[in-house]
Amino acid sequence: MIYLLLSIAASTGIFILFKLFNTYRINTLQAIVVNYLTACLFGLWIYDEPIVIKDIIKSEWIYGAVGLGFLFIAVFNIMALTAQRNGLSVASVAAKMSVIIPVIFGIYVYNEGVGFQKISGIILALVAVYLASVKPKTSDNITKGLWLPLLLFIGTGVIDTSIKYVETTYLPENGIPIFSATIFSFAFCIGAILLCIKSTKSLEKFQLKTVLGGAILGIINYFSIYYLLKALNHENLESSTLFTINNVAIVMVSTLLGVYLFKEKISKMNWIGIALAIISIVIVTLA
């Protein structure tokens, strides 16, 4: 359970950093690319075994790492477009409701336990995520331009599901650090290419605050994946339970920190969502 709590803390830290990027006018795309490079190097640094490129290339999980690297970049860009065209609340709801994809995958593929209590908790969690994320001014626009939110929903769910599948099927017991670092290395390469393409249209210099912000984000981002994999590796915690608790807790903690640290306003509906989130966590955990 400690790994799950650490994963939630790290993932929440990512949201806080993105909020600070906006406050200090840090170039988000540049910081994201620095973040992937930092996460990769940090993962290689803490890996306590010899790094053999040939063995990594020949490993069974290399294709999963390549695919996840592409997904990380693609889903990030879809998230940005969704936030810009549909609103932040729609982007948040679409991303967090995607928890249903790995939950269903875990139940049907790994024959994880399912009963009325767990199903009720999962449904309640989805309702809680929606209520905690939606904003009154944008809630009427959720049905407009559904293709971007739909892609975000599918993409985020596929990432979580793929991480679980590779961890269960191909990853050796001591392979989490190098697997995580490899994912970030491919994401960095793709991000660097995007920056190069973008620089042909408008050249933007790297500022020191962007490099520092990206480096901090990279370390936190690495641990969000590392601890999630460690939690998934725990035999006594089913993935359907873990993903439900993880996603709902991130929404709940992020919302509360937004209120107290950034003075964000939340409605009565949001508070009801937070309360339901706590209840759903208890129901799913005790199922």
Side-chain angles (χ1 to χ4, degrees):
M1 185 62 72
I2 185 65
Y3 290 128
L4 177 58
L5 294 175
L6 290 171
S7 176
I8 293 169
S11 298
T12 304
I14 292 174
F15 283 101
I16 294 174
L17 279 176
F18 277 126
K19 190 76 173 180
L20 293 175
F21 284 176
N22 184 58
T23 302
Y24 292 100
R25 297 181 179 179
I26 292 175
N27 186 301
T28 303
L29 180 58
Q30 291 180 349
I32 287 292
V33 174
V34 174
N35 136 78
Y36 286 136
L37 176 61
T38 304
C40 172
L41 295 176
F42 189 79
L44 295 175
W45 179 60
I46 67 172
Y47 189 52
D48 57 1
E49 294 188 13
I51 299 173
V52 183
I53 302 298
K54 186 178 180 180
D55 291 342
I56 294 176
I57 295 175
K58 290 183 177 181
S59 65
E60 292 182 311
W61 48 260
I62 186 64
Y63 296 109
V66 174
L68 283 167
F70 274 97
L71 282 172
F72 274 30
I73 287 292
V75 171
F76 172 76
N77 281 281
I78 293 171
M79 186 179 297
L81 286 172
T82 305
Q84 292 166 4
R85 299 182 184 181
N86 300 75
L88 290 174
S89 64
V90 178
S92 176
V93 170
K96 297 309 175 185
M97 285 181 66
S98 67
V99 66
I100 194 66
I101 296 177
V103 166
I104 294 175
F105 186 84
I107 291 174
Y108 282 97
V109 175
Y110 300 114
N111 296 317
E112 295 182 350
V114 59
F116 176 77
Q117 184 174 335
K118 177 174 283 190
I119 293 176
S120 300
I122 292 171
I123 294 174
L124 188 62
L126 294 176
V127 174
V129 169
Y130 173 81
L131 293 177
S133 303
V134 73
K135 299 292 185 290
K137 291 183 180 180
T138 57
S139 59
D140 294 335
N141 299 322
I142 290 180
T143 57
K144 298 180 181 180
L146 283 177
W147 71 275
L148 275 175
L150 180 61
L151 285 177
L152 179 58
F153 174 86
I154 295 173
T156 308
V158 169
I159 285 177
D160 288 343
T161 304
S162 299
I163 289 175
K164 169 62 180 177
Y165 178 76
V166 174
E167 184 275 330
T168 304
T169 310
Y170 300 112
L171 205 61
E173 185 176 351
N174 62 340
I176 291 177
I178 194 66
F179 174 65
S180 303
T182 305
I183 294 174
F184 288 124
S185 68
F186 283 114
F188 164 72
C189 292
I190 300 166
I193 293 172
L194 290 175
L195 275 183
C196 291
I197 295 174
K198 188 177 180 181
S199 66
T200 60
K201 300 179 180 179
S202 59
L203 182 61
E204 296 184 27
K205 295 182 179 179
F206 272 88
Q207 296 180 315
L208 179 60
K209 62 181 180 181
T210 300
V211 176
L212 290 176
I216 296 172
L217 176 63
I219 295 174
I220 295 177
N221 198 8
Y222 175 84
F223 279 117
S224 71
I225 299 297
Y226 176 82
Y227 286 128
L228 178 61
L229 286 167
K230 294 288 285 185
L232 285 169
N233 198 37
H234 198 284
E235 296 180 356
N236 296 326
L237 193 62
E238 296 181 340
S239 66
S240 57
T241 300
L242 184 142
F243 280 119
T244 302
I245 297 173
N246 186 67
N247 279 32
V248 175
I250 290 171
V251 171
M252 181 177 65
V253 176
S254 299
T255 302
L256 292 175
L257 288 177
V259 172
Y260 291 105
L261 295 180
F262 302 105
K263 309 303 179 183
E264 294 182 349
K265 295 181 180 180
I266 61 174
S267 64
K268 291 181 179 179
M269 184 180 296
N270 299 146
W271 282 117
I272 293 173
I274 294 173
L276 290 178
I278 297 174
I279 296 173
S280 69
I281 290 175
V282 174
I283 291 175
V284 173
T285 304
L286 297 179

